[in-house]
């Protein structure tokens, strides 16, 4: 058996293929179903048990050598064919796929650009927050439901050190801004936020917000309203109307929610605005004096306003997107539609 293997090995080593037909004949002769190597494998059962290990290794090596021989010739024939093929100079050039910015980035950039035109700077804060910045400094009472396990992804619950969680809103960055800067402060804070919610067409556990804050002497609710009207017109068009409805947030007093006249139907009534002609886009209000004091700002000297909006919501309204999940699936057919948007 060993001798046979050695002879076949020699034949394989010395083989030179001149054409792909010859190579195929070689394959059939050695590696085919009735080929020489297969015959040897069939005889293997007659090998004495003490020799089996050694012969087995030799046989497997032999098979690999034959296969390598075939592969090496195949490659060389292939490259000959490729070299011989004349270049087709009339062939159109390969199409270069253009990347596209994610629609949420496009909208984030646009929001930043709109507010920067009226003097707002951009600042960011951490996604992992302590209880103070996400809740306590913002005037959330200890028993407020937003602190509950249902809404918040806690990372660490600790009575002495305070809880650590993924921030549930970008309002936390307001606190950092006021703690670290003297008024006047005029800034927006875009970022990712996290809430323990079931994923659906209208809700997600990760989403994006932009928070705005303006603190100075004599800032009034009229300033807030004018600032937001400017934003709504820049974002959704000159004819956009706004409406402020009284609301409640722990960190603003008074608080409001702002609706815009539906950008899809122009206020006529459609599915998006549930036939009311209005869609809610943000929460806002005058910064509660308690919050100013918590952040080291004298509430007798300074007042201010704040607002917060969801970037997904704005993007859905701008582009008529009906399912929030599309933003997170990275389906190229969806993303491709934003090619060229900045
Ligand atoms: N933080 C609020 C939320 O996530 C949004 C918000 C409402 C921010 C009112 C504000 C505000 O600054 O004044 O729902």
């Amino acid at each position: 058996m060993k001798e046979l293997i050695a002879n076949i090995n020699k034949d394989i080593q010395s083989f030179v293929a001149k054409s792909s037909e010859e190579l195929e004949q070689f394959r059939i002769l050695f590696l085919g179903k009735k080929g020489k190597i297969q015959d040897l494998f069939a005889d293997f059962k007659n090998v004495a048990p003490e020799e089996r290990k050694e012969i087995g290794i030799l046989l497997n090596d032999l098979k690999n050598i034959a296969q390598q021989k075939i592969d090496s010739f195949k490659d060389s024939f292939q490259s000959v064919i490729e070299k011989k093929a004349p270049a087709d100079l009339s062939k159109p050039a390969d199409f270069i796929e253009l990347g596209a910015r994610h629609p949420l980035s496009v909208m984030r950039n646009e929001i930043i650009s709109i507010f920067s035109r009226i003097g707002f700077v951009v600042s960011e804060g951490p996604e992992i927050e302590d209880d103070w910045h996400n809740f306590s400094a913002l005037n959330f009472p200890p028993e407020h439901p937003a602190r509950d396990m249902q809404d918040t992804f806690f990372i660490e619950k600790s009575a002495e050190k305070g809880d650590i969680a993924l921030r549930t809103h970008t309002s936390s960055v307001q606190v950092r801004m006021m703690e670290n800067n003297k008024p006047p402060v005029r800034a927006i804070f875009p970022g990712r936020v996290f809430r323990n919610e079931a994923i659906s067409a209208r809700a997600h556990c990760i989403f994006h917000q932009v928070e705005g804050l303006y603190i100075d002497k004599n800032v009034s609710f009229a300033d807030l309203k004018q600032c937001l009207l400017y934003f709504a017109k820049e974002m959704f068009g000159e004819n956009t109307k706004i409406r402020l409805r009284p609301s409640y947030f722990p960190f603003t007093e008074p608080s409001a929610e702002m609706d815009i006249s539906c950008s899809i139907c122009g206020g006529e009534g459609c599915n998006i605005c549930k036939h009311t002609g209005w869609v809610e886009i943000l929460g806002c209000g005058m910064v509660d004096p308690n919050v100013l004091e918590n952040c080291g700002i004298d509430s007798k000297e300074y007042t201010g306003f704040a607002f917060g909006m969801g970037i997904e919501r704005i993007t859905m309204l701008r582009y008529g997107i009906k399912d929030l999940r599309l933003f997170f699936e990275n389906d190229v057919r969806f993303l491709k539609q934003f090619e060229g948007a900045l």
Side-chain angles (χ1 to χ4, degrees):
M1 186 80 152
K2 268 195 222 164
E3 217 172 290
L4 252 172
I5 294 176
N7 285 339
I8 295 179
N9 196 352
K10 250 189 244 154
D11 290 347
I12 293 174
Q13 302 280 8
S14 60
F15 171 75
V16 181
K18 290 188 209 72
S19 65
S20 45
E21 289 78 29
E22 266 184 40
L23 189 62
E24 180 59 10
Q25 276 164 14
F26 170 84
R27 189 192 65 76
I28 294 168
L29 182 64
F30 289 96
L31 285 177
K33 271 201 192 119
K34 292 181 187 151
K36 293 188 179 187
I37 295 177
Q38 203 51 47
D39 284 351
L40 290 178
F41 273 106
D43 279 349
F44 188 68
K45 58 179 183 298
N46 302 326
V47 173
E50 63 277 13
E51 276 189 325
R52 283 217 170 144
K53 190 170 171 206
E54 191 194 353
I55 302 269
I57 293 173
L58 286 174
L59 263 179
N60 276 325
D61 285 350
L62 188 68
K63 195 173 157 190
N64 288 339
I65 290 166
Q67 189 58 52
Q68 276 162 15
K69 192 90 185 181
I70 292 174
D71 291 347
S72 71
F73 276 112
K74 232 189 216 160
D75 287 351
S76 67
F77 288 138
Q78 194 63 32
S79 57
V80 169
I81 294 167
E82 276 164 14
K83 268 189 217 132
K84 271 194 194 149
D88 176 0
L89 297 180
S90 66
K91 216 173 128 197
D94 282 343
F95 181 69
I96 300 170
E97 289 274 353
L98 263 192
R101 244 184 250 285
H102 194 282
L104 293 176
S105 302
V106 175
M107 278 299 106
R108 174 184 181 275
N109 291 348
E110 186 156 341
I111 295 168
I112 291 174
S113 153
I114 292 173
F115 282 106
S116 71
R117 296 202 284 276
I118 52 169
F120 282 77
V121 296
V122 178
S123 184
E124 288 182 17
E127 292 179 345
I128 298 175
E129 263 300 5
D130 50 36
D131 181 273
W132 171 254
H133 291 94
N134 198 72
F135 294 124
S136 296
L138 288 165
N139 213 24
F140 277 83
E143 71 285 0
H144 195 284
R147 291 173 180 239
D148 211 321
M149 288 301 242
Q150 278 177 358
D151 284 311
T152 308
F153 287 117
F154 287 99
I155 289 174
E156 216 180 296
K157 285 214 123 206
S158 151
E160 322 100 71
K161 284 190 278 168
D163 300 339
I164 303 289
L166 294 178
R167 66 179 176 198
T168 57
H169 54 182
T170 42
S171 303
S172 55
V173 194
Q174 273 190 37
V175 178
R176 292 186 175 272
M177 189 74 184
M178 288 190 271
E179 282 174 342
N180 298 320
N181 294 278
K182 286 206 162 61
V185 168
R186 186 159 36 181
I188 56 170
F189 319 112
R192 240 179 353 170
V193 301
F194 307 84
R195 283 186 205 171
N196 197 353
E197 297 207 28
I199 295 170
S200 72
R202 317 181 104 247
H204 208 286
C205 54
I206 303 177
F207 54 101
H208 300 77
Q209 289 186 330
V210 176
E211 185 84 10
L213 178 72
Y214 178 31
I215 310 283
D216 204 345
K217 290 181 178 153
N218 300 320
V219 176
S220 71
F221 200 93
D223 297 323
L224 168 63
K225 201 174 161 189
Q226 198 57 36
C227 172
L228 294 179
L229 176 64
Y230 157 79
F231 167 72
K233 284 175 179 279
E234 291 292 300
M235 178 56 83
F236 296 103
E238 187 52 36
N239 296 327
T240 309
K241 295 188 191 61
I242 62 166
R243 140 178 125 168
L244 290 160
R245 283 179 289 104
S247 184
Y248 172 78
F249 299 101
F251 36 92
T252 42
E253 181 58 36
S255 303
E257 278 168 311
M258 186 177 93
D259 299 339
I260 55 163
S261 51
C262 180
S263 58
I264 308 286
C265 64
E268 297 279 306
C270 69
N271 275 342
I272 302 288
C273 61
K274 299 200 198 85
H275 300 279
T276 62
W278 296 95
V279 279
E280 185 205 318
I281 63 161
L282 55 79
C284 60
M286 300 305 290
V287 180
D288 192 301
N290 284 344
V291 176
L292 294 173
E293 298 292 338
N294 285 340
C295 302
I297 292 176
D298 184 351
S299 62
K300 292 194 188 67
E301 199 178 352
Y302 292 102
T303 55
F305 65 69
F307 56 86
M309 65 183 98
I311 304 185
E312 279 79 1
R313 181 136 186 85
I314 304 282
T315 312
M316 288 167 99
L317 287 171
R318 261 286 289 263
Y319 290 114
I321 297 165
K322 294 210 177 98
D323 193 322
L324 195 67
R325 288 167 291 198
L326 285 165
F327 292 126
F328 302 94
E329 284 166 353
N330 281 339
D331 186 327
V332 179
R333 292 166 300 181
F334 173 70
L335 297 175
K336 249 177 125 46
Q337 298 176 51
F338 302 93
E339 248 173 37
L342 296 172

